[in-house]
Structures are given as structure tokens and as C-alpha cells.
Amino acid sequence: RKEVEQDPGPFNVPEGATVAFNCTYSNSASQSFFWYRQDCRKEPKLLMSVYSSGNEDGRFTAQLNRASQYISLLIRDSKLSDSATYLCVVNVGDMRFGAGTRLTVKP
Amino acid sequence: NAGVMQNPRHLVRRRGQEARLRCSPMKGHSHVYWYRQLPEEGLKFMVYLQKENIIDESGMPKERFSAEFPKEGPSILRIQQVVRGDSAAYFCASSPLTDTYYEQYFGPGTRLTVT
């Protein structure tokens, strides 16, 4: 089993749609969690940290379920500029990246 | 405040040559991480360094790869006798502290092509 597993995607959605990404992790000792986005041939950029209580940043909502070892990212009212690969990241002393889920938002 | 800097951005080497990749962390950051991303794959952790110390090199291939972060100057990832399979994007990231709650910030990467 991979340390961090994500929905394989790709997700192709129309503008304005709501899309959700899921991620599971295997190490119960994981301390912190993040979502990064990576545009084609660019570096990963931090999208948001994920807190136990859940957190929201504009159109983006992240949830963490430690009991189920599950993380989610919800994007509301998706924009063309949201098209990217979304990486689930778990910190177990060093960062472990999921393979990413590709999102394409179409007009 | 400049971000993480990496150079060169693109590097072409013939099989058997050496590749040197450089990374300057963000100002105030003393922790550097190197990752490799093969085409169409996720990022793989390679090594974690602080100034003059290798903290975790569990992701480094056993041969041909080495990394350093000297007291002065950038961190260097060195690949000796490159092979075609080394072709990848190599990203460097930095963070201010080792606390696991701190995010890492990435440089633009070096794309290594081995011909």
C-alpha cells in the first residue's frame, strides 16, 4: 500500500462546478497535512494546510479525519485557473507526496 | 524576500558526465529538501539537509548521488556518471524550522536531460 493515495483522476468539470478530491494515508503517526497544486512543468505551490477542525480559504475547503486517515479538498465554483494537479502531502518527519489528481476545468 | 532559487533551470548532460544542481533556500530558512519527479509521476523525497549536516538521506540512491549544504553557499545535489534514467525534474524546497508543522516552499526546479 502506498503511503499517500489519491483519486487517480483526471477530473474534467465545467466552470462553476463543485469538485472534491480524496486522499488516504497509511502512517497513523503523521503529524501535519497539506494540499499543494502543481501546474504543468512548474514547482508545487502550497494551497493550504489541513487542520483537524477543517479549514476554509475562499472557495477551497479542506477536511481531515484522523480516525479514518483521510483528507479531502473541496473546490466550489471552479474556475478555469483551477486547472492543475492537486497533491496531497503528509508529513511524517519528511514530506510524503501523493501522485496527484489532475483537474481540468472547461468553459 | 526572494523565494527558493535553483540553477540551472535546464541542464543537458551526456551519459557518464556529472550533473551539479544548486539550490539557495529562502532567506531565513535553514532546512533544505531535495525531491525528484519523473515524467508523469509524483514527487519523491531524496534528502533533507541543514547547514553542514545531512539529516535524512533515506530517499537517495545508494550510488552516484550525493548532496551537501555547506556553511556558506547553496546546497548542491551532485549526480555522477549520469544515466538516461536520471532524466527528471529535481526540486529543492526549504523551510524555516524542522518542526513538522512548517510548510515547505519549492524552487522552480532543474530539468535534467541525459542524452
Side-chain angles (χ1 to χ4, degrees):
Chain A
R1 184 184 172 186
K2 293 182 181 178
E3 286 191 274
V4 183
E5 294 201 67
Q6 294 187 241
D7 285 348
F11 285 63
N12 298 303
V13 303
E15 272 187 291
T18 296
V19 60
F21 302 139
N22 303 316
C23 171
T24 56
Y25 59 95
S26 60
N27 190 333
S28 59
S30 301
Q31 294 294 320
S32 52
F33 311 88
F34 308 94
W35 284 100
Y36 280 73
R37 70 171 276 170
Q38 186 175 26
D39 293 281
C40 187
R41 300 185 66 78
K42 297 287 185 66
E43 73 273 22
K45 292 188 176 178
L46 178 67
L47 181 64
M48 58 197 305
S49 302
V50 187
Y51 304 120
S52 295
S53 55
N55 48 301
E56 185 174 312
D57 183 1
R59 298 181 292 110
F60 299 83
T61 300
Q63 296 280 349
L64 168 64
N65 184 322
R66 285 187 183 270
S68 301
Q69 296 181 199
Y70 171 92
I71 306 159
S72 66
L73 177 68
L74 183 75
I75 306 175
R76 290 181 299 277
D77 188 23
S78 52
K79 312 291 185 191
L80 296 176
S81 57
D82 294 334
S83 298
T85 296
Y86 289 82
L87 307 174
C88 174
V89 185
V90 174
N91 198 327
V92 297
D94 56 71
M95 302 279 256
R96 304 293 168 143
F97 285 76
T101 301
R102 187 171 296 177
L103 170 67
T104 301
V105 181
K106 299 185 175 180
Chain B
N1 185 12
V4 179
M5 299 174 68
Q6 288 188 250
N7 67 81
R9 296 289 301 276
H10 300 274
L11 181 62
V12 179
R13 286 287 179 265
R14 288 194 297 273
R15 279 180 295 171
Q17 291 186 316
E18 179 180 287
R20 282 186 180 234
L21 288 62
R22 295 174 184 77
C23 169
S24 296
M26 286 179 71
K27 187 177 180 180
H29 288 194
S30 56
H31 301 260
V32 167
Y33 310 80
W34 284 95
Y35 296 84
R36 176 165 64 176
Q37 187 172 36
L38 295 169
E40 303 302 320
E41 292 190 15
L43 278 83
K44 300 295 184 191
F45 167 78
M46 298 181 74
V47 62
Y48 161 37
L49 310 104
Q50 296 177 31
K51 288 282 187 182
E52 300 184 280
N53 281 305
I54 296 174
I55 306 303
D56 180 354
E57 57 181 347
S58 58
M60 287 279 270
K62 293 289 187 283
E63 297 177 346
R64 303 186 297 108
F65 285 71
S66 62
E68 62 176 4
F69 190 13
K71 187 176 181 181
E72 301 292 337
S75 175
I76 306 284
L77 179 67
R78 183 181 177 202
I79 311 172
Q80 295 178 292
Q81 299 175 335
V82 296
V83 301
R84 286 221 171 105
D86 296 332
S87 295
Y90 292 82
F91 290 99
C92 167
S94 72
S95 69
L97 291 171
T98 189
D99 191 299
T100 55
Y101 291 95
Y102 279 90
E103 305 94 346
Q104 294 178 12
Y105 296 88
F106 284 80
T110 294
R111 278 170 179 76
L112 173 65
T113 301
V114 179
T115 61

PDB file of all heavy atoms in Angstrom, chain B residues 62-87:
ATOM      1  N   LYS B  62      21.719   4.743  -3.663  1.00  0.00           N
ATOM      2  CA  LYS B  62      22.919   4.392  -2.903  1.00  0.00           C
ATOM      3  C   LYS B  62      24.198   4.791  -3.624  1.00  0.00           C
ATOM      4  O   LYS B  62      25.222   5.060  -2.986  1.00  0.00           O
ATOM      5  CB  LYS B  62      22.931   2.879  -2.641  1.00  0.00           C
ATOM      6  CG  LYS B  62      21.824   2.408  -1.719  1.00  0.00           C
ATOM      7  CD  LYS B  62      22.074   2.853  -0.304  1.00  0.00           C
ATOM      8  CE  LYS B  62      21.080   2.265   0.684  1.00  0.00           C
ATOM      9  NZ  LYS B  62      19.773   2.941   0.633  1.00  0.00           N
ATOM     10  N   GLU B  63      24.137   4.853  -4.937  1.00  0.00           N
ATOM     11  CA  GLU B  63      25.359   5.160  -5.696  1.00  0.00           C
ATOM     12  C   GLU B  63      25.139   6.378  -6.569  1.00  0.00           C
ATOM     13  O   GLU B  63      24.015   6.700  -6.960  1.00  0.00           O
ATOM     14  CB  GLU B  63      25.737   3.946  -6.567  1.00  0.00           C
ATOM     15  CG  GLU B  63      26.066   2.705  -5.756  1.00  0.00           C
ATOM     16  CD  GLU B  63      26.360   1.500  -6.628  1.00  0.00           C
ATOM     17  OE1 GLU B  63      26.056   1.543  -7.838  1.00  0.00           O
ATOM     18  OE2 GLU B  63      26.892   0.510  -6.093  1.00  0.00           O
ATOM     19  N   ARG B  64      26.178   7.054  -6.849  1.00  0.00           N
ATOM     20  CA  ARG B  64      26.298   8.165  -7.794  1.00  0.00           C
ATOM     21  C   ARG B  64      25.682   9.475  -7.318  1.00  0.00           C
ATOM     22  O   ARG B  64      25.977  10.525  -7.882  1.00  0.00           O
ATOM     23  CB  ARG B  64      25.697   7.804  -9.176  1.00  0.00           C
ATOM     24  CG  ARG B  64      26.306   6.563  -9.836  1.00  0.00           C
ATOM     25  CD  ARG B  64      25.766   6.354 -11.257  1.00  0.00           C
ATOM     26  NE  ARG B  64      24.326   6.112 -11.270  1.00  0.00           N
ATOM     27  CZ  ARG B  64      23.427   6.985 -11.690  1.00  0.00           C
ATOM     28  NH1 ARG B  64      23.794   8.169 -12.134  1.00  0.00           N
ATOM     29  NH2 ARG B  64      22.128   6.678 -11.682  1.00  0.00           N
ATOM     30  N   PHE B  65      24.811   9.444  -6.336  1.00  0.00           N
ATOM     31  CA  PHE B  65      24.126  10.649  -5.869  1.00  0.00           C
ATOM     32  C   PHE B  65      24.722  11.101  -4.534  1.00  0.00           C
ATOM     33  O   PHE B  65      24.952  10.277  -3.639  1.00  0.00           O
ATOM     34  CB  PHE B  65      22.634  10.392  -5.677  1.00  0.00           C
ATOM     35  CG  PHE B  65      21.843  10.311  -6.948  1.00  0.00           C
ATOM     36  CD1 PHE B  65      21.978   9.222  -7.796  1.00  0.00           C
ATOM     37  CD2 PHE B  65      20.970  11.332  -7.303  1.00  0.00           C
ATOM     38  CE1 PHE B  65      21.241   9.141  -8.972  1.00  0.00           C
ATOM     39  CE2 PHE B  65      20.224  11.251  -8.480  1.00  0.00           C
ATOM     40  CZ  PHE B  65      20.362  10.162  -9.310  1.00  0.00           C
ATOM     41  N   SER B  66      24.929  12.418  -4.404  1.00  0.00           N
ATOM     42  CA  SER B  66      25.363  12.966  -3.129  1.00  0.00           C
ATOM     43  C   SER B  66      24.801  14.373  -2.996  1.00  0.00           C
ATOM     44  O   SER B  66      24.446  15.014  -3.995  1.00  0.00           O
ATOM     45  CB  SER B  66      26.891  12.982  -3.026  1.00  0.00           C
ATOM     46  OG  SER B  66      27.453  13.803  -4.034  1.00  0.00           O
ATOM     47  N   ALA B  67      24.722  14.844  -1.770  1.00  0.00           N
ATOM     48  CA  ALA B  67      24.199  16.180  -1.524  1.00  0.00           C
ATOM     49  C   ALA B  67      24.975  16.817  -0.390  1.00  0.00           C
ATOM     50  O   ALA B  67      25.491  16.126   0.496  1.00  0.00           O
ATOM     51  CB  ALA B  67      22.708  16.119  -1.188  1.00  0.00           C
ATOM     52  N   GLU B  68      25.055  18.133  -0.454  1.00  0.00           N
ATOM     53  CA  GLU B  68      25.702  18.870   0.617  1.00  0.00           C
ATOM     54  C   GLU B  68      25.032  20.228   0.772  1.00  0.00           C
ATOM     55  O   GLU B  68      24.391  20.745  -0.146  1.00  0.00           O
ATOM     56  CB  GLU B  68      27.191  19.057   0.324  1.00  0.00           C
ATOM     57  CG  GLU B  68      27.498  19.858  -0.925  1.00  0.00           C
ATOM     58  CD  GLU B  68      28.988  20.089  -1.113  1.00  0.00           C
ATOM     59  OE1 GLU B  68      29.786  19.564  -0.328  1.00  0.00           O
ATOM     60  OE2 GLU B  68      29.336  20.822  -2.055  1.00  0.00           O
ATOM     61  N   PHE B  69      25.216  20.786   1.958  1.00  0.00           N
ATOM     62  CA  PHE B  69      24.711  22.126   2.239  1.00  0.00           C
ATOM     63  C   PHE B  69      25.782  22.786   3.095  1.00  0.00           C
ATOM     64  O   PHE B  69      25.754  22.698   4.318  1.00  0.00           O
ATOM     65  CB  PHE B  69      23.374  22.043   2.960  1.00  0.00           C
ATOM     66  CG  PHE B  69      22.650  23.356   3.100  1.00  0.00           C
ATOM     67  CD1 PHE B  69      23.018  24.485   2.390  1.00  0.00           C
ATOM     68  CD2 PHE B  69      21.572  23.457   3.968  1.00  0.00           C
ATOM     69  CE1 PHE B  69      22.351  25.682   2.530  1.00  0.00           C
ATOM     70  CE2 PHE B  69      20.876  24.646   4.107  1.00  0.00           C
ATOM     71  CZ  PHE B  69      21.268  25.761   3.391  1.00  0.00           C
ATOM     72  N   PRO B  70      26.758  23.418   2.450  1.00  0.00           N
ATOM     73  CA  PRO B  70      27.893  23.963   3.204  1.00  0.00           C
ATOM     74  C   PRO B  70      27.503  25.164   4.046  1.00  0.00           C
ATOM     75  O   PRO B  70      26.418  25.745   3.879  1.00  0.00           O
ATOM     76  CB  PRO B  70      28.878  24.351   2.095  1.00  0.00           C
ATOM     77  CG  PRO B  70      28.026  24.582   0.895  1.00  0.00           C
ATOM     78  CD  PRO B  70      26.874  23.633   1.013  1.00  0.00           C
ATOM     79  N   LYS B  71      28.408  25.525   4.921  1.00  0.00           N
ATOM     80  CA  LYS B  71      28.165  26.666   5.805  1.00  0.00           C
ATOM     81  C   LYS B  71      27.904  27.933   4.988  1.00  0.00           C
ATOM     82  O   LYS B  71      27.050  28.754   5.345  1.00  0.00           O
ATOM     83  CB  LYS B  71      29.384  26.870   6.709  1.00  0.00           C
ATOM     84  CG  LYS B  71      29.192  27.907   7.784  1.00  0.00           C
ATOM     85  CD  LYS B  71      30.413  27.963   8.682  1.00  0.00           C
ATOM     86  CE  LYS B  71      30.220  29.003   9.782  1.00  0.00           C
ATOM     87  NZ  LYS B  71      31.427  29.091  10.659  1.00  0.00           N
ATOM     88  N   GLU B  72      28.641  28.095   3.919  1.00  0.00           N
ATOM     89  CA  GLU B  72      28.429  29.227   3.020  1.00  0.00           C
ATOM     90  C   GLU B  72      28.044  28.712   1.643  1.00  0.00           C
ATOM     91  O   GLU B  72      28.623  27.743   1.161  1.00  0.00           O
ATOM     92  CB  GLU B  72      29.722  30.057   2.901  1.00  0.00           C
ATOM     93  CG  GLU B  72      30.226  30.616   4.236  1.00  0.00           C
ATOM     94  CD  GLU B  72      29.304  31.686   4.803  1.00  0.00           C
ATOM     95  OE1 GLU B  72      28.557  32.288   4.015  1.00  0.00           O
ATOM     96  OE2 GLU B  72      29.350  31.906   6.034  1.00  0.00           O
ATOM     97  N   GLY B  73      27.104  29.371   1.015  1.00  0.00           N
ATOM     98  CA  GLY B  73      26.751  28.988  -0.342  1.00  0.00           C
ATOM     99  C   GLY B  73      25.540  28.087  -0.420  1.00  0.00           C
ATOM    100  O   GLY B  73      24.955  27.695   0.600  1.00  0.00           O
ATOM    101  N   PRO B  74      25.178  27.748  -1.662  1.00  0.00           N
ATOM    102  CA  PRO B  74      23.951  26.979  -1.856  1.00  0.00           C
ATOM    103  C   PRO B  74      24.112  25.502  -1.526  1.00  0.00           C
ATOM    104  O   PRO B  74      25.228  25.001  -1.370  1.00  0.00           O
ATOM    105  CB  PRO B  74      23.692  27.154  -3.364  1.00  0.00           C
ATOM    106  CG  PRO B  74      25.069  27.285  -3.942  1.00  0.00           C
ATOM    107  CD  PRO B  74      25.854  28.064  -2.918  1.00  0.00           C
ATOM    108  N   SER B  75      22.996  24.831  -1.456  1.00  0.00           N
ATOM    109  CA  SER B  75      23.018  23.374  -1.373  1.00  0.00           C
ATOM    110  C   SER B  75      23.291  22.826  -2.777  1.00  0.00           C
ATOM    111  O   SER B  75      22.837  23.382  -3.773  1.00  0.00           O
ATOM    112  CB  SER B  75      21.675  22.865  -0.860  1.00  0.00           C
ATOM    113  OG  SER B  75      21.637  21.455  -0.876  1.00  0.00           O
ATOM    114  N   ILE B  76      24.026  21.738  -2.840  1.00  0.00           N
ATOM    115  CA  ILE B  76      24.384  21.122  -4.109  1.00  0.00           C
ATOM    116  C   ILE B  76      23.896  19.679  -4.119  1.00  0.00           C
ATOM    117  O   ILE B  76      24.145  18.923  -3.171  1.00  0.00           O
ATOM    118  CB  ILE B  76      25.909  21.104  -4.319  1.00  0.00           C
ATOM    119  CG1 ILE B  76      26.507  22.496  -4.170  1.00  0.00           C
ATOM    120  CG2 ILE B  76      26.252  20.474  -5.677  1.00  0.00           C
ATOM    121  CD1 ILE B  76      26.286  23.412  -5.319  1.00  0.00           C
ATOM    122  N   LEU B  77      23.214  19.311  -5.186  1.00  0.00           N
ATOM    123  CA  LEU B  77      22.902  17.903  -5.450  1.00  0.00           C
ATOM    124  C   LEU B  77      23.786  17.483  -6.613  1.00  0.00           C
ATOM    125  O   LEU B  77      23.758  18.091  -7.685  1.00  0.00           O
ATOM    126  CB  LEU B  77      21.429  17.714  -5.803  1.00  0.00           C
ATOM    127  CG  LEU B  77      20.996  16.280  -6.132  1.00  0.00           C
ATOM    128  CD1 LEU B  77      21.089  15.396  -4.884  1.00  0.00           C
ATOM    129  CD2 LEU B  77      19.572  16.247  -6.685  1.00  0.00           C
ATOM    130  N   ARG B  78      24.562  16.468  -6.388  1.00  0.00           N
ATOM    131  CA  ARG B  78      25.548  16.041  -7.368  1.00  0.00           C
ATOM    132  C   ARG B  78      25.213  14.631  -7.848  1.00  0.00           C
ATOM    133  O   ARG B  78      24.968  13.729  -7.034  1.00  0.00           O
ATOM    134  CB  ARG B  78      26.927  16.055  -6.724  1.00  0.00           C
ATOM    135  CG  ARG B  78      28.078  15.694  -7.636  1.00  0.00           C
ATOM    136  CD  ARG B  78      29.365  15.723  -6.826  1.00  0.00           C
ATOM    137  NE  ARG B  78      30.526  15.316  -7.588  1.00  0.00           N
ATOM    138  CZ  ARG B  78      31.649  14.851  -7.043  1.00  0.00           C
ATOM    139  NH1 ARG B  78      31.751  14.741  -5.741  1.00  0.00           N
ATOM    140  NH2 ARG B  78      32.663  14.531  -7.809  1.00  0.00           N
ATOM    141  N   ILE B  79      25.189  14.474  -9.154  1.00  0.00           N
ATOM    142  CA  ILE B  79      24.933  13.164  -9.748  1.00  0.00           C
ATOM    143  C   ILE B  79      26.133  12.823 -10.631  1.00  0.00           C
ATOM    144  O   ILE B  79      26.416  13.522 -11.617  1.00  0.00           O
ATOM    145  CB  ILE B  79      23.642  13.146 -10.600  1.00  0.00           C
ATOM    146  CG1 ILE B  79      22.466  13.761  -9.831  1.00  0.00           C
ATOM    147  CG2 ILE B  79      23.311  11.711 -11.008  1.00  0.00           C
ATOM    148  CD1 ILE B  79      21.213  13.956 -10.667  1.00  0.00           C
ATOM    149  N   GLN B  80      26.828  11.781 -10.261  1.00  0.00           N
ATOM    150  CA  GLN B  80      27.994  11.360 -11.034  1.00  0.00           C
ATOM    151  C   GLN B  80      27.595  10.325 -12.071  1.00  0.00           C
ATOM    152  O   GLN B  80      26.647   9.557 -11.878  1.00  0.00           O
ATOM    153  CB  GLN B  80      29.045  10.769 -10.094  1.00  0.00           C
ATOM    154  CG  GLN B  80      29.621  11.783  -9.116  1.00  0.00           C
ATOM    155  CD  GLN B  80      30.624  11.161  -8.169  1.00  0.00           C
ATOM    156  OE1 GLN B  80      30.263  10.360  -7.315  1.00  0.00           O
ATOM    157  NE2 GLN B  80      31.886  11.518  -8.317  1.00  0.00           N
ATOM    158  N   GLN B  81      28.311  10.327 -13.176  1.00  0.00           N
ATOM    159  CA  GLN B  81      28.126   9.318 -14.227  1.00  0.00           C
ATOM    160  C   GLN B  81      26.651   9.143 -14.558  1.00  0.00           C
ATOM    161  O   GLN B  81      26.091   8.041 -14.430  1.00  0.00           O
ATOM    162  CB  GLN B  81      28.751   7.989 -13.776  1.00  0.00           C
ATOM    163  CG  GLN B  81      30.246   8.109 -13.523  1.00  0.00           C
ATOM    164  CD  GLN B  81      30.842   6.822 -12.959  1.00  0.00           C
ATOM    165  OE1 GLN B  81      30.154   6.027 -12.343  1.00  0.00           O
ATOM    166  NE2 GLN B  81      32.132   6.632 -13.176  1.00  0.00           N
ATOM    167  N   VAL B  82      26.033  10.207 -14.991  1.00  0.00           N
ATOM    168  CA  VAL B  82      24.589  10.191 -15.219  1.00  0.00           C
ATOM    169  C   VAL B  82      24.211   9.149 -16.261  1.00  0.00           C
ATOM    170  O   VAL B  82      24.967   8.842 -17.193  1.00  0.00           O
ATOM    171  CB  VAL B  82      24.065  11.577 -15.633  1.00  0.00           C
ATOM    172  CG1 VAL B  82      24.270  12.593 -14.521  1.00  0.00           C
ATOM    173  CG2 VAL B  82      24.701  12.061 -16.932  1.00  0.00           C
ATOM    174  N   VAL B  83      22.994   8.623 -16.065  1.00  0.00           N
ATOM    175  CA  VAL B  83      22.398   7.662 -17.000  1.00  0.00           C
ATOM    176  C   VAL B  83      21.060   8.239 -17.439  1.00  0.00           C
ATOM    177  O   VAL B  83      20.527   9.180 -16.838  1.00  0.00           O
ATOM    178  CB  VAL B  83      22.217   6.275 -16.352  1.00  0.00           C
ATOM    179  CG1 VAL B  83      23.564   5.725 -15.883  1.00  0.00           C
ATOM    180  CG2 VAL B  83      21.243   6.344 -15.181  1.00  0.00           C
ATOM    181  N   ARG B  84      20.492   7.651 -18.510  1.00  0.00           N
ATOM    182  CA  ARG B  84      19.245   8.188 -19.065  1.00  0.00           C
ATOM    183  C   ARG B  84      18.135   8.198 -18.018  1.00  0.00           C
ATOM    184  O   ARG B  84      17.287   9.091 -17.996  1.00  0.00           O
ATOM    185  CB  ARG B  84      18.825   7.372 -20.277  1.00  0.00           C
ATOM    186  CG  ARG B  84      19.681   7.637 -21.496  1.00  0.00           C
ATOM    187  CD  ARG B  84      18.839   7.713 -22.769  1.00  0.00           C
ATOM    188  NE  ARG B  84      19.677   8.176 -23.888  1.00  0.00           N
ATOM    189  CZ  ARG B  84      20.115   7.388 -24.846  1.00  0.00           C
ATOM    190  NH1 ARG B  84      19.799   6.104 -24.846  1.00  0.00           N
ATOM    191  NH2 ARG B  84      20.860   7.875 -25.808  1.00  0.00           N
ATOM    192  N   GLY B  85      18.136   7.226 -17.139  1.00  0.00           N
ATOM    193  CA  GLY B  85      17.095   7.156 -16.113  1.00  0.00           C
ATOM    194  C   GLY B  85      17.147   8.276 -15.091  1.00  0.00           C
ATOM    195  O   GLY B  85      16.216   8.435 -14.298  1.00  0.00           O
ATOM    196  N   ASP B  86      18.231   9.057 -15.099  1.00  0.00           N
ATOM    197  CA  ASP B  86      18.324  10.202 -14.193  1.00  0.00           C
ATOM    198  C   ASP B  86      17.565  11.411 -14.732  1.00  0.00           C
ATOM    199  O   ASP B  86      17.394  12.403 -14.014  1.00  0.00           O
ATOM    200  CB  ASP B  86      19.795  10.595 -13.979  1.00  0.00           C
ATOM    201  CG  ASP B  86      20.609   9.510 -13.298  1.00  0.00           C
ATOM    202  OD1 ASP B  86      20.016   8.712 -12.526  1.00  0.00           O
ATOM    203  OD2 ASP B  86      21.843   9.452 -13.515  1.00  0.00           O
ATOM    204  N   SER B  87      17.144  11.351 -15.979  1.00  0.00           N
ATOM    205  CA  SER B  87      16.385  12.457 -16.568  1.00  0.00           C
ATOM    206  C   SER B  87      15.102  12.662 -15.769  1.00  0.00           C
ATOM    207  O   SER B  87      14.284  11.745 -15.637  1.00  0.00           O
ATOM    208  CB  SER B  87      16.044  12.157 -18.033  1.00  0.00           C
ATOM    209  OG  SER B  87      17.213  12.078 -18.818  1.00  0.00           O
TER     210      SER B  87
END
